[in-house]
Amino acid sequence: MKLLKNHKLLVLVFLVSIVVLWQIVAIAMHSLLIPSPKDVVSAFVELFQDGYKGSSLGEHIYASLRRLFLAFLSVALFAIPLGLFSAFNKFVRALFEPLVEFLKPLPPLGYYSILILWFGIDELSKVLLLFFAGFAPLFIASYSAAHKIPQDFIHSAKNSGANAWQTFWRVIIPHSLPDIFTGIRISIGASYSALVAAEMVASQSGIGWIVLDSSKFMFIDIMFAGVIIIGLTGVCMDRIIVFIKSHFIHWEGKS
């Protein structure tokens, strides 16, 4: 408990130091390109009260999270089963491993122009971009989780009379879930980064679009506020996943 309190105190001291340093730099530079913390807080209040370009801040955040949710739901439905089955089926692994190895190092924006060319600038191209960005991390995590399950566990289940489906749900899934949740964190992070970039390229709504559009009119305080909102939203999503994992995957690390 004492260590936890000290950790929180260190985080608080670090954040306060960042704000103080930011204020000092803003005063010293006398530049419109570096708004003070007070200016950014005012921009926050303005965004919360008046929204941006005819839409409330909540609508912009909803637009971004809706794209992310649709893409991640598709990723989870495909990447997790395929990753798990690839650990036990050479045919499935041979089909999808080359695709994953190709997508893994490829920057999402490197092929976004192709998706726009094929599917236009509407929602479908954005969701597909997020799908491809998040597929490889979750596939690899699912494959690795199932691959490292001791074969003795599987043999014991079969010797006890469990069929393939029961073995899958009672042995493979419980042992794989901790690593799958780690893959979910990485996958959502990759998709979220791609989402912000996609909204900056072709969109009229979303948090990324607020940052891009405000930069065109030199609303620097709104730009800073938008970047902070992007970061805070990402942190909140990650903390939610960590909370779910810690409370529902209670057997992690136990024999």
Side-chain angles (χ1 to χ4, degrees):
M1 184 63 68
K2 184 177 180 180
L3 181 62
L4 182 61
K5 290 181 178 179
N6 290 337
H7 173 74
K8 291 182 177 179
L9 180 61
L10 287 174
V11 171
L12 179 61
V13 170
F14 176 76
L15 292 177
V16 170
S17 300
I18 291 294
V19 174
V20 171
L21 179 61
W22 177 7
Q23 178 68 39
I24 293 173
V25 171
I27 294 175
M29 295 294 291
H30 295 290
S31 174
L32 295 176
L33 299 179
I34 305 179
S36 67
K38 180 181 178 181
D39 294 333
V40 175
V41 170
S42 298
F44 267 115
V45 174
E46 179 181 344
L47 286 172
F48 275 109
Q49 290 180 344
D50 303 327
Y52 188 79
K53 294 294 181 71
S55 298
S56 68
L57 180 61
E59 289 174 326
H60 283 293
I61 294 176
Y62 171 77
S64 294
L65 296 183
R66 178 178 176 274
R67 293 161 185 151
L68 183 65
F69 176 77
L70 290 175
F72 176 72
L73 183 61
S74 302
V75 169
L77 288 175
F78 284 94
I80 295 176
L82 290 174
L84 294 175
F85 290 141
S86 294
F88 304 100
N89 190 299
K90 294 181 180 179
F91 179 74
V92 176
R93 183 165 67 251
L95 282 177
F96 290 96
E97 194 171 40
L99 174 62
V100 171
E101 290 298 324
F102 177 77
L103 288 174
K104 183 172 62 173
L106 193 64
L109 288 183
Y111 51 83
Y112 188 39
S113 56
I114 299 176
L115 295 177
I116 291 176
L117 182 64
W118 287 348
F119 303 103
I121 62 173
D122 294 328
E123 297 300 299
L124 181 57
S125 62
K126 295 179 178 61
V127 172
L128 285 174
L129 179 72
L130 306 191
F131 175 86
F132 289 124
F135 183 85
L138 192 50
F139 178 94
I140 294 172
S142 302
Y143 169 81
S144 300
H147 185 69
K148 72 180 186 181
I149 296 175
Q151 290 298 312
D152 292 344
F153 291 1
I154 298 175
H155 294 323
S156 296
K158 291 181 178 179
N159 292 334
S160 300
N163 57 32
W165 192 247
Q166 291 172 327
T167 302
F168 180 77
W169 280 107
R170 296 183 181 181
V171 178
I172 296 175
I173 289 295
H175 283 83
S176 300
L177 274 177
D179 288 342
I180 288 176
F181 263 86
T182 300
I184 287 174
R185 294 179 65 187
I186 299 172
S187 177
I188 288 183
S191 295
Y192 188 58
S193 298
L195 166 68
V196 173
E199 290 178 344
M200 289 183 173
V201 172
S203 183
Q204 292 185 338
S205 64
I207 316 172
W209 178 76
I210 291 178
V211 175
L212 176 66
D213 191 74
S214 60
S215 69
K216 296 178 182 178
F217 301 97
M218 295 297 290
F219 298 150
I220 308 299
D221 52 349
I222 294 180
M223 280 181 59
F224 270 67
V227 170
I228 293 173
I229 291 172
I230 290 171
L232 291 177
T233 305
V235 170
C236 288
M237 288 190 296
D238 186 72
R239 291 299 92 191
I240 290 173
I241 297 171
V242 171
F243 175 82
I244 294 173
K245 180 182 178 182
S246 62
H247 282 75
F248 292 95
I249 315 297
H250 52 80
W251 59 86
E252 182 180 10
K254 299 178 182 179
S255 58

